[in-house]
Amino acid sequence: MPTIQTVTILPSLPKKLEPLLKIAKNLWWTWTPEAIYLFQDMDRELWDRCGHNPVALLGTIEQPRLEELERDEIFVARIKKVEEELDRYLTFHTWYGKLAKELDEELPGCVAYFSAEFGLHECLPLYSGGLGILAGDHMKSSSDLGLPLVGVGLLYKHGYFQQYLNPDGWQMETYPMNEFENMPLTLLRDENGDPILIKVPMADREVYVRIWSIQVGRVPIYMLDTDVSLNSLADRQITSYLYGGSIETRLQQEIVLGIGGIRALKALNKNPTVCHMNEGHSAFMAVERLRQFVEEQGLDFEVAMEVVRATNIFTTHTPVPAGIDRFPPDMIQRYFGHLCERLGISMDTFLGLGRINPQDQSETFCMAVLAIKMASQSNGVSKLHGEVSRKMWAGIWPQIPQHEVPITHITNGVHTLSWLSGEMSRLYERYLGSRWIDEPTNHQIWKRIDLIPDFELWRAKERLRERLISFARYRLKQQLKAKGAPAYKLKEADQVLDPEALTIGFARRFATYKRANLIFKDPERLTKILTNPDRPVQIIFSGKAHPKDRDGKSIIHQVVQMANRPELRNRIVFIENYDIEVARYLVQGADVWLNTPRRPMEASGTSGMKVTANGGINLSILDGWWCEAFDGTCGWAIGAGEEYDDHAYQDEVESRLLYELLENTVVPLFYERESHNIPHGWIQVMRNSIKKVCPFFNTNRMVEEYANQHYIPNMQNWKVLSKDNWAQAKELVSWKQKVRNHWHEVSIQDVQVPIDGSPKVGDRLPIKAIVNLGPFSTDEVRVEAYIGRLDATGGIPEGHPLPLLPTKEMDGNAHIYQGTLLCLSSGKIGFTIRCYPYRKGLPHKFELGLLTWWETGNHN
């Protein structure tokens, strides 16, 4: 085969049009309508053909058209205006800038956000679903808020699959190749113009990795790519497919993401002081940070662990153990045996970092466990998911009551501007003013929704529904053409769906627990609802099943078969190849967003949040985020949050509840029209939904919470720990060693609660605990009364702590702690006493997992 030299040819733009390339290379344009219109107006047909990729557009559009646009003074003036707006955006004072001034201290370094996928726009198909979309919205809001944050991900040659259905309605997959040079990406080069390469250890070899940059407003994302000629063919394919290949390929990808990510940041002189793991895929990042501290800073392993853990954050998105990456111990040993020697630890110690029980030799190596153990703070992505996560990972802290397991929650949100329609955006600007863009979390601003007249809100929603119907018809015709359908079928496609009918949207990953087919449980009853001549209803579906998920594919097949029934052909449509573009049309145009997961398996879900800003209303199981948002006025709940052991019975009950809601509540309210054919009752629910959901369930609020609860405290941790050659970190390790060696000497010797008769509500009961602290001072031990209702076994499943304070009295060698229990309600309660080691600066009180309880054997 001949040697082939490659060359990348850049678009040749007339001078007046050159700012277009600058705009195209910053994904700020994806949430800026004026910038999008610029590219659209250059050549609408070509814009669609290029997949809404402005770099491809500028490189493909014919020169005569460019010259024509250069002579168009209005177009040139629009370019200048958009460029000025971009420059203003990049320089105006931000939320974080103001916060840093208020803190009156210089916070060191930056935050590195690691994610296996980023969903930023349809022209960058580097995502599979909600995890990636959330990561993309996180980047956009981090830019809006001015956080010193960088993203780290993998650049996939083929990305996730593209979906099409065969004539029988069965999902098939294709894997088109991404042309990186024709996308809004930049290959990073050194001062000599050569690509910057890093080397990543991979078992018995090293793999070369290139670094690309995606600019998202102020925030860069560094994407790693192993398709380098210096690598073997197998290693070049490590970053070929998102979530593709064998379990070993997955391990290799996660090594590139984690270890390669830290090395890439170092090569770019972007050494982070705080690292955020978005799911466990990137947890090897912590291992590379350990190596750097041991080999480059000269710290021993335990001290390095303190520094790394104190400045790492982990967000879990998975509510079921089966969704977590796990690797066999022998595979981990093959890839990390050499690293253990360099860290000065045994392989058993290393494997223990990824095991719930480090002593269990048969337990696999779990990436989520590694992430939890290597982070100072871990969180779920909704209040309910926080509860599920505490239950899921309670085994890591066997002595801690489940509800006190140190996993919190920060509920997900969406980047509102990225999903908002032009119609609604213009309405908001007219009645809310422009402040809602800079202050999307301001509840007072969103209350001004009530100022929008009903007819204006309704007309905007009708236009969005009409646009969705037109898009669905267009896509359906394209699907039929691809299957070689006859002309009469194409003509029929122009008649499907009704622009005035109540339109339900259901679009998401077709995992079985999401139950896309729940609404088909009783086909006859559903048919009556959909085909009512006076009150018609229609459903638009879209979504992909994982290529190996046969059950998920079977549900798609069932949807398509229902849509092919003659009586339902105009009432049900399945749009193939779900992506950000399809999602945008659906969340903007749907009247109702249907969500039917099997509780509590939906960690959060965000598609329903996107619907709300566009005037859509949620109809959902009380799972994920909807548990927090639903208040009875802003949408509808299927059931009351029940959980079932019998899934067949659950499906039967919840499908009936869904039909009843549609028949008796949702459909009648939509068609209850008053003057000028306007459904005022329906519009009131729209308003309630917007006021309730928009100011809270957005990524600006979410990222502010991450900054306040995690990023800034961890930056401050770094600042403290790094002083005087890591003196405090070394001291902390010494103290923890003392605790581990001597904590068994701590005991609760006696508890005294003088009760005279039966206490009444409002009484105060004095509590005295006599505690032998062993070699510890009262500053190093916290003592609490643990109080709560008793369960059937006599235990306290969800008690609350009451701090007891040390007195100056002693009882022999023991210290006396005292407190007062306030009797707040009648009934039988239980209490006990517990103590745990304490030191200022620990991320949570159960940092060491040590908790000594009062036991009757110690009770004198």
XYZ file of all heavy atoms in Angstrom, residues 125 127-128 158-164 171-176 241-242 543-548 553 556 577-578:
245
model
N -21.403 14.431 17.529
C -22.048 13.203 18.041
C -21.102 12.390 18.919
O -20.619 11.317 18.552
C -22.426 12.459 16.754
C -21.441 12.930 15.733
C -21.081 14.333 16.095
N -21.917 11.563 22.244
C -22.750 11.304 23.413
C -23.732 10.193 23.075
O -24.013 9.921 21.903
C -23.522 12.565 23.803
C -24.440 13.059 22.703
C -25.776 12.661 22.640
C -23.955 13.865 21.679
C -26.604 13.079 21.600
C -24.774 14.289 20.640
C -26.091 13.893 20.608
O -26.908 14.291 19.575
N -24.257 9.540 24.111
C -25.279 8.512 23.879
C -26.616 8.884 24.489
O -27.649 8.467 24.005
C -24.820 7.164 24.452
O -24.875 7.175 25.858
N -15.972 7.051 15.857
C -17.299 6.701 15.333
C -18.427 7.106 16.285
O -19.596 6.943 15.947
C -17.383 5.196 15.058
C -16.426 4.723 14.016
N -16.683 4.785 12.670
C -15.179 4.205 14.132
C -15.644 4.309 11.987
N -14.721 3.953 12.861
N -18.072 7.609 17.443
C -19.093 8.059 18.379
C -20.052 6.949 18.761
O -19.683 5.770 18.830
N -21.292 7.314 19.039
C -22.341 6.348 19.310
C -22.985 6.001 17.972
O -22.783 6.706 16.974
C -23.360 6.954 20.277
C -24.153 5.939 21.072
C -23.522 4.897 21.744
C -25.538 6.050 21.191
C -24.248 3.988 22.494
C -26.269 5.150 21.960
C -25.622 4.115 22.601
O -26.340 3.209 23.358
N -23.762 4.949 17.923
C -24.312 4.503 16.643
C -25.420 5.417 16.136
O -26.054 6.145 16.903
C -24.840 3.070 16.766
C -26.075 2.938 17.624
C -27.348 3.018 17.063
C -25.972 2.732 18.986
C -28.486 2.894 17.836
C -27.108 2.604 19.778
C -28.366 2.692 19.202
N -25.641 5.382 14.833
C -26.838 5.987 14.249
C -27.856 4.876 14.027
O -27.506 3.758 13.645
C -26.506 6.702 12.943
C -25.674 7.952 13.172
C -25.712 8.910 12.001
O -26.457 8.722 11.046
N -24.906 9.950 12.075
N -29.110 5.192 14.275
C -30.175 4.193 14.279
C -31.039 4.296 13.025
O -31.331 5.389 12.549
C -31.047 4.425 15.519
C -32.285 3.545 15.629
C -33.320 4.187 16.561
O -33.749 5.317 16.334
N -33.704 3.477 17.610
N -31.392 3.126 12.488
C -32.472 3.089 11.511
C -33.253 1.803 11.759
O -32.750 0.867 12.406
C -31.940 3.159 10.067
C -31.214 1.919 9.591
C -31.889 0.928 8.866
C -29.858 1.734 9.856
C -31.226 -0.208 8.418
C -29.196 0.604 9.417
C -29.879 -0.370 8.697
O -29.224 -1.496 8.255
N -34.647 -2.340 15.258
C -33.531 -1.384 15.245
C -32.275 -1.981 14.632
O -31.864 -3.088 14.971
C -33.208 -0.917 16.674
C -31.949 -0.032 16.751
C -31.611 0.399 18.147
O -32.352 1.162 18.753
N -30.490 -0.069 18.672
N -31.660 -1.230 13.727
C -30.361 -1.569 13.143
C -29.408 -0.409 13.433
O -29.838 0.719 13.709
C -30.472 -1.786 11.628
C -31.580 -2.749 11.224
S -31.326 -4.436 11.834
C -30.007 -4.989 10.752
N -28.095 -0.676 13.375
C -27.116 0.341 13.721
C -26.099 0.542 12.615
O -25.693 -0.422 11.950
C -26.351 -0.038 15.002
C -27.206 -0.191 16.232
C -27.746 -1.596 16.455
O -27.118 -2.552 15.925
O -28.803 -1.742 17.119
N -25.697 1.791 12.414
C -24.549 2.113 11.563
C -23.615 3.004 12.377
O -24.036 3.667 13.321
C -24.969 2.849 10.276
O -25.595 4.095 10.630
C -25.927 2.012 9.446
N -22.344 3.010 11.977
C -21.331 3.757 12.719
C -20.533 4.645 11.773
O -19.382 4.352 11.448
C -20.402 2.797 13.459
C -21.083 2.008 14.554
C -21.721 0.800 14.283
C -21.092 2.477 15.864
C -22.355 0.072 15.293
C -21.718 1.757 16.883
C -22.339 0.554 16.586
O -22.958 -0.145 17.578
N -21.128 5.738 11.296
C -20.381 6.624 10.401
C -19.190 7.253 11.117
O -19.193 7.411 12.343
C -21.413 7.688 10.013
C -22.442 7.640 11.076
C -22.472 6.239 11.585
N -15.184 3.783 19.503
C -16.629 3.693 19.730
C -16.970 4.047 21.170
O -16.305 3.595 22.105
C -17.140 2.274 19.435
C -16.920 1.839 18.015
C -15.792 1.096 17.662
C -17.829 2.174 17.012
C -15.577 0.696 16.349
C -17.621 1.776 15.703
C -16.493 1.046 15.376
O -16.290 0.660 14.081
N -18.014 4.827 21.340
C -18.526 5.148 22.671
C -19.268 3.931 23.212
O -20.224 3.450 22.590
C -19.458 6.361 22.572
C -20.250 6.756 23.821
C -19.328 7.075 24.975
C -21.158 7.941 23.518
N -36.146 7.382 20.263
C -35.180 6.855 21.224
C -34.428 5.666 20.674
O -34.864 5.018 19.723
N -33.274 5.403 21.282
C -32.419 4.294 20.862
C -32.317 3.270 21.994
O -32.322 3.626 23.168
C -31.007 4.800 20.539
C -30.913 5.776 19.374
C -29.482 6.262 19.202
C -29.332 7.207 18.022
N -27.942 7.702 17.879
N -32.194 2.006 21.600
C -31.843 0.949 22.547
C -30.367 0.634 22.362
O -29.833 0.761 21.253
C -32.681 -0.300 22.294
N -29.675 0.259 23.431
C -28.274 -0.141 23.307
C -28.178 -1.305 22.321
O -29.064 -2.183 22.303
C -27.714 -0.552 24.668
C -26.238 -0.783 24.662
N -25.669 -1.961 24.209
C -25.204 0.026 25.008
C -24.352 -1.873 24.313
N -24.047 -0.674 24.794
N -27.148 -1.320 21.464
C -27.054 -2.380 20.438
C -27.156 -3.796 20.991
O -27.618 -4.699 20.295
C -25.672 -2.129 19.827
C -25.430 -0.668 20.011
C -26.069 -0.322 21.328
N -26.758 -4.000 22.259
C -26.801 -5.347 22.832
C -28.055 -5.582 23.676
O -28.215 -6.653 24.260
C -25.551 -5.584 23.680
C -24.260 -5.587 22.861
C -23.045 -5.796 23.750
C -21.754 -5.750 22.925
N -20.552 -5.850 23.791
N -34.733 -3.241 22.230
C -35.068 -3.241 20.801
C -36.478 -3.793 20.585
O -37.211 -3.333 19.702
C -34.056 -4.079 20.025
C -32.679 -3.442 19.918
C -31.765 -4.321 19.075
C -30.410 -3.683 18.853
N -29.534 -4.475 17.968
N -39.010 -1.056 21.067
C -39.092 -0.198 19.874
C -39.929 -0.887 18.798
O -40.797 -0.266 18.163
C -37.681 0.130 19.334
C -36.939 1.037 20.312
C -37.767 0.792 17.949
C -35.508 1.332 19.928
N -33.433 7.592 14.877
C -32.135 8.229 15.121
C -32.256 9.439 16.051
O -31.872 10.553 15.717
C -31.460 8.629 13.809
C -29.951 8.772 13.984
O -29.339 8.027 14.756
N -29.362 9.722 13.312
N -32.749 9.170 17.240
C -32.907 10.215 18.269
C -31.571 10.889 18.537
O -30.566 10.236 18.812
C -33.429 9.559 19.546
C -33.762 10.497 20.676
C -34.469 11.664 20.462
C -33.392 10.173 21.987
C -34.799 12.508 21.520
C -33.719 10.998 23.047
C -34.420 12.164 22.808
O -34.743 12.992 23.855
